[in-house]
Amino acid sequence: MDQLIQNTPFIIFKIPGCTNCVKLTTLFDEVGLVSKYTTIDISRLDNIDDYDALTFLKDFTQATSFPMVFVNGTYVGGYKEVKQQIEFGSFNDILKKELNISYSIDV
């Protein structure tokens, strides 16, 4: 899991049936980030058990809900945190600094 996080520049971990996961990917698509991020459904990982993936992510982030968003190996938050960062412009700053990409939106 750590290698996946470190080797994927902009990643969203989600679980089946997660309403906030759908909301976040929809928000990212609306702001023009389509194809800029990778979405990983932890129930579909081939080489790791779902429980082990959940445990690793919860230990790594100290978060207890999904989605979990990472940029260049750093956990930046879940739906509520990232939505707030988008509203205040700080998420755009993170993406510009870390990945040299940006978006525009009126939230």
Side-chain angles (χ1 to χ4, degrees):
M1 286 293 293
D2 186 50
Q3 189 173 11
L4 179 61
I5 291 168
Q6 298 304 322
N7 292 336
T8 310
F10 186 6
I11 189 168
I12 303 167
F13 286 99
K14 68 177 193 164
I15 56 174
C18 172
T19 304
N20 283 340
C21 298
V22 173
K23 287 180 184 178
L24 185 63
T25 55
T26 300
L27 178 60
F28 282 168
D29 293 349
E30 288 173 353
V31 300
L33 294 173
V34 176
S35 78
K36 303 289 186 191
Y37 61 90
T38 301
T39 303
I40 302 289
D41 182 333
I42 64 166
S43 70
R44 296 181 184 261
L45 290 170
D46 291 334
N47 56 350
I48 188 167
D49 179 70
D50 293 1
Y51 178 78
D52 292 338
L54 283 170
T55 301
F56 177 86
L57 288 169
K58 287 181 179 184
D59 290 347
F60 190 83
T61 64
Q62 302 303 304
T64 57
S65 62
F66 284 85
M68 294 181 183
V69 180
F70 293 81
V71 175
N72 273 349
T74 300
Y75 175 65
V76 294
Y79 172 71
K80 291 178 184 177
E81 296 87 1
V82 172
K83 184 175 187 285
Q84 192 171 49
Q85 291 170 18
I86 288 172
E87 290 170 351
F88 292 117
S90 59
F91 193 69
N92 203 18
D93 295 341
I94 291 168
L95 293 181
K96 281 182 187 176
K97 178 182 176 198
E98 296 294 329
L99 304 175
N100 198 30
I101 59 176
S102 62
Y103 60 86
S104 92
I105 187 170
D106 294 323
V107 179

